[in-house]
Amino acid sequence: MTTHIISNLQELSNFEFEIPNLSLDHIKFDRPNSILLHEENSKIRNMLSIWFDPQIKEFKDKKVAYIGHIHVENEDILLKLINEAKAYIKNKGYNYVISPMDGSTWKKYRLVVDGDKTIPPFYLEPLTPDYFVKGFVDSGFKPISTYYSTLVTPSSESLAKIDEITANLAKYNITIDNIQNFLHDKQKFINDIYHLTINGFEGNYLYSPLSIQEFSVMYMPLLEKLDPKYFVVAVHEGKIIGYLLNYPNYNEMMTGKINTFVLKTLTVDSKYAGKKIGTLFYHMASKLALQDGFTNVIHSLMQEDNYSLKISHKMGAKNIRKYQVFGCDL
């Protein structure tokens, strides 16, 4: 087995890959600084990517690198690749590694560390093999951030809560709508959502900047795919000040019936904090689920200390999956 380390993404075309579901276009879009490739019998079957100097506000006293794009066949190879990557990163003068992280929290990150195995993975949920956790711990990593997804049965109690909050919002001329009335200019809509998302997410742990161009490439295809009625916005004097993004759990299509509705993400302009728009959005997800006959709602990927998890639990949701990001001193 031979290890190659490349820093020019064009060199990827020099290798033959035998990694299931690997997209080299996706790898290139994420722009890693270096890539470790394991070649065996003239084919690449295992790899990971490295990013240096992520633009994050945390760990200012350390020189940080990320490890992501981890594609390995088993735990032994995982340990070998991670240790090779750590040695390479340390040799470059860096002293702290965060993983798994495909360049930023805008991309794929987190390990699945625990959960209800009777509930299959939902659409767009990050997936990692069980042995990843042991491999990371054995190579010296420790958890630095924890997230949960929860499951709740939609209840008609949400309807009364929606009426209560919307009546109060009306006093401030804030209304709730879906995006249908804003799609006559999709690029403007994406631009407005981009600025709102940056405003809402910039305080998140391990946040890093994202350009409008990258945001458009990432979210325009999702916008095209999703049913507009599941994309809810809060509007003040014609301006979108918050949004709620939901979708059916398309992973259940193979069972013949989709029973689960997924609350993917929401954000509210910080100027409107305290008006319970976030709470309203959680209940709106239940209302939409009830209207279309979904029997379960998943509140996805909430950080452990985020208020959204408290709202979810207050609605009676139970934890179904636990995820973590790991860090390691070098």
Side-chain angles (χ1 to χ4, degrees):
M1 186 180 293
T2 304
T3 299
H4 303 275
I5 301 178
I6 65 172
S7 299
N8 182 347
L9 297 181
Q10 300 305 316
E11 294 180 38
L12 288 171
S13 61
N14 297 333
F15 299 92
E16 182 177 352
F17 288 81
E18 199 171 75
I19 298 176
N21 304 314
L22 178 70
S23 168
L24 292 183
D25 288 339
H26 172 80
I27 298 294
K28 293 174 182 177
F29 178 76
D30 290 344
R31 298 197 305 274
N33 297 113
S34 299
I35 301 177
L36 269 66
L37 304 170
H38 267 196
E39 184 177 23
E40 186 175 4
N41 298 326
S42 301
K43 294 183 179 180
I44 304 299
R45 292 189 171 90
N46 304 277
M47 65 167 288
L48 59 75
S49 296
I50 297 169
W51 292 258
F52 295 115
D53 298 312
Q55 299 176 52
I56 56 176
K57 60 184 180 296
E58 298 83 6
F59 303 101
K60 290 297 186 183
D61 60 332
K62 299 180 183 294
K63 291 201 68 178
V64 178
Y66 286 164
I67 294 176
H69 291 163
I70 302 172
H71 298 273
V72 295
E73 295 175 300
N74 56 55
E75 183 181 345
D76 290 340
I77 295 176
L78 173 66
L79 274 169
K80 179 176 174 58
L81 260 182
I82 287 181
N83 287 330
E84 288 178 357
K86 286 168 60 179
Y88 174 75
I89 291 167
K90 185 175 182 179
N91 189 54
K92 289 287 187 179
Y94 292 80
N95 58 16
Y96 196 75
V97 181
I98 295 173
S99 187
M101 184 79 67
D102 289 2
S104 77
T105 55
W106 296 99
K107 313 291 178 61
K108 182 180 178 182
Y109 71 110
R110 309 179 183 101
L111 288 184
V112 178
V113 299
D114 195 13
D116 186 340
K117 294 187 181 299
T118 67
I119 300 175
F122 56 87
Y123 183 64
L124 297 183
E125 181 180 15
L127 300 176
T128 51
D130 291 343
Y131 64 79
F132 268 37
V133 177
K134 184 177 185 302
F136 270 75
V137 172
D138 287 351
S139 60
F141 281 83
K142 297 179 181 179
I144 60 172
S145 187
T146 300
Y147 308 80
Y148 291 93
S149 290
T150 65
L151 181 75
V152 67
T153 301
S155 167
S156 58
E157 293 178 6
S158 287
L159 305 182
K161 196 68 177 177
I162 290 170
D163 289 342
E164 174 190 332
I165 298 175
T166 53
N168 185 62
L169 291 177
K171 300 175 184 177
Y172 303 96
N173 198 27
I174 297 172
T175 58
I176 304 300
D177 200 352
N178 66 47
I179 64 170
Q180 200 67 55
N181 295 326
F182 298 87
L183 292 181
H184 56 279
D185 186 342
K186 288 185 179 180
Q187 190 55 57
K188 181 182 184 305
F189 175 75
I190 285 288
N191 188 67
D192 291 344
I193 291 297
Y194 165 76
H195 290 290
L196 180 59
T197 303
I198 296 299
N199 174 276
F201 288 9
E202 62 185 355
N204 289 357
Y205 188 65
L206 300 179
Y207 168 87
S208 59
L210 183 76
S211 71
I212 180 64
Q213 292 79 14
E214 287 180 294
F215 185 86
S216 296
V217 170
M218 291 167 58
Y219 285 92
M220 188 66 86
L222 188 59
L223 179 62
E224 298 286 350
K225 179 180 178 65
L226 296 181
D227 190 326
K229 70 180 178 181
Y230 296 144
F231 201 147
V232 179
V233 291
V235 182
H236 181 233
E237 297 179 351
K239 177 185 176 183
I240 297 175
I241 61 167
Y243 69 82
L244 164 69
L245 175 60
N246 313 276
Y247 48 74
N249 181 13
Y250 295 114
N251 285 2
E252 293 178 342
M253 289 181 68
M254 63 186 67
T255 68
K257 179 175 173 55
I258 300 178
N259 294 309
T260 306
F261 195 59
V262 180
L263 189 167
K264 172 65 171 71
T265 190
L266 64 86
T267 190
V268 178
D269 189 323
S270 57
K271 296 176 184 176
Y272 298 85
K275 291 184 168 52
K276 296 190 175 181
I277 299 175
T279 299
L280 171 68
F281 280 158
Y282 272 83
H283 288 285
M284 284 295 301
S286 285
K287 178 181 178 180
L288 291 168
L290 286 169
Q291 286 178 344
D292 284 2
F294 297 103
T295 55
N296 299 302
V297 177
I298 289 175
H299 301 155
S300 69
L301 303 168
M302 298 166 287
Q303 192 166 357
E304 184 176 40
D305 57 357
N306 194 291
Y307 188 65
S308 59
L309 186 59
K310 295 180 181 179
I311 297 173
S312 179
H313 286 159
K314 191 173 182 179
M315 293 177 67
K318 65 174 183 178
N319 296 343
I320 60 167
R321 210 89 76 222
K322 180 180 179 181
Y323 321 83
Q324 289 178 324
V325 175
F326 289 73
C328 180
D329 285 300
L330 300 180

